[in-house]
Amino acid sequence: MQVLSDVGSMVHKKRVRILKGGAQKTGPVIYWMSRDQRVRDNWALLFAQEVAVRQSAPMAVVFCLVPTFLGATMRQYGFMLRGLQEVEKSLNALNIPFFLLTGAPDDELPKVAAEYHAGALVTDFDPLSMKNEWKRGVAGTIDCPFYEVDAHNIVPCWVASPHQEYAAYTFRPKIKRALPEFLEVYPELRNHPYAWPESLIEIDWSSALKTLQVEQTVREVEWLRPGEEVADRVLHEFIDHKLALYPEQRNDPTRDGLSNLSPYLHFGQISAERVALEVQQSDAPIQSKAAFLEELIVRRELSDNFCFYNPFCASFEGLPEWAKKTLRDHEHDAREYCYSHEELEHAETHDPYWNAAQTEMVVRGKMHGYMRMYWGKKILEWSRTPEDAFNRALYLNDKYELDGRDPNGFTGIAWCFGLHDRPWRERAILGKLRYMNANGLRRKFDAETYVKQVAAYQA
Ligand code: FAD
Ligand code: FO1
């Protein structure tokens, strides 16, 4: 894969990869927005503007809405589409049109590029294999240069490490070394100086909605509103009221101690780099900032590393060899509890804490981070085979979590099955995998209060 030599000045050239080379043409520059659904603090959008300005060309942003996406339901599509309506308004105010296409990106984008005689196409980076297939399809059909910009990670994924990392401790020093080079102040996106050649047709959002073929019963949530503006408010509420206590409260699901930024980060409605800059500049204690930035930067970017280098990141196959072996060695161990898919989905197990976590996810669309680990480990203990367990955890996570089908989700689930961890003392079913039990929860927080709080969400 080629990287940029000297094109671009505002955007670090190592952030950009050339998916299709060639000389830039005179036509408009199109940014195919996908993972980074925001106007502010978006290196891909800034890069597209820079390329357009260099050719005195107009620019547009295109989003391709697919009818189904890795099991997403109305809950996640609704969150995304409301955010995109805000994107449309903000872009229009900067003289940049926004187009919503419906259908497969590898069919629709080449049509648009041909219709407008695009001078260049820019997109944002995503490690998911489906996105790479789309990009390969587009690159094979278009007739102009095609660039990919890592606008999601602070340290571009291909720069952070050249291979799949073993664990956080091998990745951390690499990220820390690279951070000073990439944790930069963002320039402002300008009012675009070259007007789009045609008058614009208003987007018909309700018709777009009708193209979706998704599960409608998993409803949108009320308590966390989508969009860039709200994301910024959520960030500042976290910094002002929760960050200082983050190290003490983050493992206690009875406290409102987390940032709640994951849905916004997932849809790119806020930039992780912006979050890191604001956290760094805050006057919270150094240990609090460090604890939060460890999650936001090291853990989050480690997830992209896993999915970028491991094509099987979303399945049992992608786990480390030692983990697969120990799980297979114990596959036939007797299970005290073995629940059906329905029993899990309806939170009908013997374990009130697990049931509360599952219910929190189903009702609120966001399970507390600490409970996610326990939840995943127990699914492994209570399933017929480890492969079954992996698939069930992924299915439930992606159906209900607002932040589902994210590299963090694939990695988080794989962590419950040994990824980025080491072998522990061998026991039944889990073999050498780290074990978690209800006593551990009770030692960390008031687990009965958690159960009561979740019951109140249902009322
Ligand atoms: P905060 O604690 O406020 O963290 C801030 C940010 O740091 C998060 O938004 C996230 O980007 C990053 N972060 C925090 N913890 C982790 C972690 N363990 N790994 C990677 N990044 C992290 N995260 C998702 O975004 N989507 C998922 O679908 C998802 N599924 C998970 C499933 C399991 C079984 C496990 C164990 C973890 C999963 N996680 C997932 C990771 C983590 O639990 C969530 O990112 C976190 O709970 C989100 O809440 P927050 O933004 O309020 O967290
Ligand atoms: N990306 C797109 O480019 N088009 C879509 O229609 C789309 C739908 C979608 C629905 C739910 C969801 O969680 C994500 C969705 N994404 C879509 C992708 C998303 O922006 C992320 O890039 C990936 O999930 C991985 O990070």
Side-chain angles (χ1 to χ4, degrees):
M1 192 68 69
Q2 266 181 295
V3 289
L4 217 61
S5 55
D6 58 354
V7 192
S9 52
M10 286 190 307
V11 182
H12 198 309
K13 66 183 184 198
K14 291 187 197 157
R15 231 175 238 299
V16 186
R17 296 196 305 177
I18 301 171
L19 299 184
K20 186 186 177 89
Q24 191 184 333
K25 310 237 181 100
T26 52
V29 173
I30 296 177
Y31 164 32
W32 166 23
M33 175 182 276
S34 178
R35 192 184 193 193
D36 291 284
Q37 301 167 16
R38 64 182 179 277
V39 175
R40 197 175 162 221
D41 304 330
N42 183 336
W43 290 120
L45 181 55
L46 287 161
F47 181 75
Q49 182 164 66
E50 193 165 81
V51 175
V53 166
R54 212 179 313 120
Q55 289 284 345
S56 310
M59 69 180 289
V61 176
V62 167
F63 187 87
C64 202
L65 183 68
V66 290
T68 57
F69 188 74
L70 302 176
T73 64
M74 203 53 219
R75 171 171 292 171
Q76 298 94 10
Y77 266 100
F79 195 90
M80 180 177 83
L81 287 169
R82 289 176 204 282
L84 287 172
Q85 291 179 39
E86 193 180 322
V87 165
E88 179 194 19
K89 287 203 187 77
S90 310
L91 285 173
N92 289 349
L94 291 168
N95 202 24
I96 303 172
F98 178 74
F99 297 108
L100 185 71
L101 308 178
T102 50
D106 35 359
D107 289 335
E108 300 306 319
L109 276 149
K111 285 191 218 154
V112 168
E115 183 182 343
Y116 291 104
H117 305 287
L121 181 64
V122 176
T123 194
D124 40 46
F125 162 73
D126 197 317
L128 299 193
S129 54
M130 176 180 267
K131 292 284 188 80
N132 284 326
E133 280 164 35
W134 289 351
K135 286 174 191 174
R136 264 197 297 279
V138 171
T141 333
I142 54 167
D143 185 21
C144 64
F146 184 16
Y147 304 103
E148 180 185 51
V149 182
D150 191 345
H152 213 80
N153 291 295
I154 302 176
V155 179
C157 194
W158 44 82
V159 174
S161 170
H163 52 72
Q164 184 185 324
E165 288 294 334
Y166 181 71
Y169 78 86
T170 62
F171 189 55
R172 192 176 298 110
K174 294 181 180 157
I175 282 284
K176 292 215 161 146
R177 257 196 314 276
L179 263 186
E181 189 180 341
F182 293 99
L183 192 55
E184 308 168 83
V185 174
Y186 281 101
E188 288 256 324
L189 185 72
R190 296 162 53 192
N191 193 41
H192 198 66
Y194 307 101
W196 192 254
E198 286 175 6
S199 52
L200 299 174
I201 304 162
E202 228 180 284
I203 294 176
D204 182 352
W205 291 95
S206 49
S207 297
L209 211 58
K210 290 188 191 127
T211 65
L212 301 182
Q213 294 159 18
V214 301
E215 171 73 67
Q216 301 282 339
T217 55
V218 184
R219 300 243 175 81
E220 290 182 61
V221 301
E222 295 286 326
W223 68 278
L224 204 63
R225 307 306 301 165
E228 266 187 271
E229 246 182 72
V230 184
D232 195 56
R233 269 208 305 280
V234 170
L235 168 63
H236 285 99
E237 270 162 32
F238 172 69
I239 291 177
D240 294 346
H241 304 296
K242 305 191 216 168
L243 176 58
L245 291 174
Y246 185 77
E248 291 105 82
Q249 298 200 340
R250 60 188 238 200
N251 288 336
D252 182 347
T254 68
R255 305 295 186 104
D256 178 21
L258 303 185
S259 69
N260 289 329
L261 285 171
S262 56
Y264 303 103
L265 288 163
H266 169 66
F267 289 105
Q269 295 177 358
I270 196 164
S271 134
E273 189 171 338
R274 166 65 57 195
V275 175
L277 288 166
E278 301 283 317
V279 164
Q280 271 194 338
Q281 279 159 23
S282 75
D283 51 17
I286 286 177
Q287 316 84 278
S288 302
K289 294 185 196 183
F292 181 73
L293 293 175
E294 165 72 13
E295 302 303 321
L296 178 83
I297 305 178
V298 178
R299 293 283 167 179
R300 197 182 48 80
E301 304 207 352
L302 180 62
S303 300
D304 260 37
N305 167 275
F306 173 54
C307 293
F308 185 54
Y309 290 111
N310 192 322
F312 305 108
C313 69
S315 71
F316 181 82
E317 217 31 61
L319 298 175
E321 287 309 317
W322 72 265
K324 284 191 282 199
K325 177 171 185 314
T326 195
L327 286 170
R328 290 218 170 96
D329 288 347
H330 289 271
E331 191 162 329
H332 301 293
D333 291 357
R335 275 129 172 92
E336 190 180 357
Y337 302 100
C338 194
Y339 291 109
S340 69
H341 183 79
E342 287 69 30
E343 284 167 325
L344 291 180
E345 187 155 15
H346 300 144
E348 288 164 353
T349 77
H350 67 285
D351 179 338
Y353 313 134
W354 191 93
N355 293 345
Q358 169 70 14
T359 305
E360 183 179 32
M361 175 175 74
V362 169
V363 174
R364 303 252 296 167
K366 187 168 179 290
M367 189 194 299
H368 189 279
Y370 190 73
M371 293 307 294
R372 292 193 201 204
M373 298 188 276
Y374 181 78
W375 175 87
K377 291 277 182 192
K378 291 297 153 192
I379 294 180
L380 177 52
E381 259 185 80
W382 302 336
S383 296
R384 214 172 35 85
T385 68
E387 282 93 341
D388 250 17
F390 194 103
N391 294 337
R392 296 189 323 168
L394 194 61
Y395 169 84
L396 292 171
N397 188 83
D398 289 356
K399 181 168 178 184
Y400 294 107
E401 297 282 20
L402 265 175
D403 57 22
R405 73 202 55 71
D406 189 276
N408 277 351
F410 302 127
T411 308
I413 288 166
W415 177 87
C416 298
F417 291 69
L419 178 75
H420 297 153
D421 206 356
R422 63 171 173 86
W424 294 73
R425 187 175 65 79
E426 195 156 3
R427 60 172 67 240
I429 308 171
L430 267 80
K432 294 178 183 159
L433 261 62
R434 183 193 294 257
Y435 176 67
M436 286 177 82
N437 67 10
N439 286 336
L441 299 186
R442 286 189 285 260
R443 274 196 300 275
K444 279 224 182 273
F445 60 89
D446 181 350
E448 306 311 324
T449 296
Y450 174 62
V451 173
K452 283 189 201 128
Q453 283 176 348
V454 172
Y457 296 142
Q458 278 180 294

